[in-house]
Amino acid sequence: AVTLSKLVDNSVEPAFAVPFAVYGFWVGGFLQLLVGIFEATRNNIYGATFFTVIGGSWMARGLTMILQQTDNMVKVDTPVGDAITNIFYLFFTLVMFNLNRKMNKLSMAIIGTLCIFFFLGALDGTSEVLEWIHVLIGIILFFLAFYGFMAQMVNEVYQRVIFPTFPIRKDQTSLGVNDAAGLGVQLRPNVARLRTIGSFDSKGSQDDNSDSSSSASSFSLSPRQEVSHRSFHEARDVKSM
């Protein structure tokens, strides 16, 4: 919208800047930041990293526009600063695009388009043709991201593929668009197991040691999970003292 307002006079009402900034801060920024935090609880390292960084960038962008339009605390545009910011996000999205090669083609399309978007954003102001292409890429990115949202939501609700994400490998089982687990741990089952073991341990003081040990031994934990599990309960015991 900002670029389009520069290209075509009166195409975007100046008063639109304030509500756009507010929605950008809360919907585009804060909600994505929450999504990133929730994805971390699923051990979705890719989703947690991507959504927290992009959410933070939207919050920063929205707050900057709010300050420009209301309190005039930011009085001038900073094209050099904007270019540096876009270059930073370009490198970030290039790294995420490289990780997409083990995920799905839909995520590759979204992140690849986002790379082009940030690249053109870094060149903003150098050519009117490039600015028009920037607007067009932004529209394409919107439709790709909206399809990704539908695929993520609908596939998880119905637990089957309604909107295909075009996985890279045929043996992929995840229905999500931005799902990639951390080292040695799956996305959901192991998190559920840790919570279940936590519930067993909470009742351990009332049960025999043999019962609690047999309950815990029914779960297979990696060394990394055992350390995390032990550290959690040690911290809980210290807190209760």
Side-chain angles (χ1 to χ4, degrees):
V2 176
T3 305
L4 184 62
S5 65
K6 296 178 181 178
L7 294 173
V8 181
D9 293 336
N10 300 321
S11 60
V12 179
E13 186 68 27
F16 173 74
V18 174
F20 174 79
V22 174
Y23 277 98
F25 181 89
W26 289 107
V27 179
F30 184 71
L31 288 183
Q32 287 200 79
L33 185 63
L34 285 181
V35 169
I37 295 173
F38 291 144
E39 290 299 319
T41 65
R42 299 177 58 222
N43 195 45
N44 182 6
I45 186 65
Y46 179 93
T49 303
F50 178 76
F51 285 114
T52 51
V53 172
I54 297 300
S57 71
W58 267 102
M59 293 179 72
R61 177 63 173 170
L63 182 59
T64 301
M65 293 184 66
I66 291 173
L67 295 178
Q68 287 177 332
Q69 298 296 323
T70 55
D71 296 336
N72 292 321
M73 295 180 65
V74 181
K75 297 182 180 181
V76 295
D77 294 330
T78 54
V80 176
D82 290 341
I84 294 174
T85 302
N86 280 286
I87 291 173
F88 166 77
Y89 287 120
L90 172 62
F91 282 113
F92 170 76
T93 49
L94 285 173
V95 173
M96 303 305 282
F97 180 79
N98 183 57
L99 300 178
N100 289 147
R101 295 187 300 168
K102 63 173 292 186
M103 295 169 58
N104 56 77
K105 295 177 183 178
L106 175 58
S107 185
M108 289 186 68
I110 294 173
I111 302 302
T113 307
L114 189 59
C115 290
I116 299 173
F117 185 81
F118 284 131
F119 174 75
L120 294 174
L123 299 177
D124 191 25
T126 60
S127 171
E128 183 175 339
V129 175
L130 291 178
E131 290 181 348
W132 276 110
I133 298 175
H134 192 202
V135 173
L136 178 62
I137 293 298
I139 295 173
I140 296 173
L141 180 61
F142 165 78
F143 284 107
L144 285 173
F146 187 76
Y147 179 86
F149 156 74
M150 290 193 301
Q152 181 83 36
M153 179 69 69
V154 176
N155 291 350
E156 289 210 16
V157 169
Y158 287 95
Q159 289 298 301
R160 60 190 178 91
V161 177
I162 304 296
F163 292 96
T165 60
F166 310 101
I168 302 296
R169 301 194 313 269
K170 295 182 179 180
D171 59 343
Q172 283 180 308
T173 58
S174 175
L175 299 174
V177 179
N178 300 299
D179 290 348
L183 292 175
V185 187
Q186 296 177 352
L187 280 175
R188 286 186 240 178
N190 287 304
V191 175
R193 289 175 184 172
L194 287 175
R195 291 173 180 169
T196 305
I197 293 174
S199 67
F200 274 109
D201 286 352
S202 66
K203 297 188 297 182
S205 58
Q206 301 175 2
D207 298 336
D208 295 332
N209 291 334
S210 60
D211 294 336
S212 62
S213 61
S214 62
S215 299
S217 63
S218 62
F219 295 94
S220 176
L221 294 178
S222 66
R224 181 181 178 185
Q225 289 174 310
E226 291 177 355
V227 172
S228 299
H229 179 60
R230 185 168 59 254
S231 300
F232 168 78
H233 290 289
E234 288 175 355
R236 185 185 63 181
D237 295 337
V238 171
K239 185 177 180 181
S240 62
M241 293 177 60

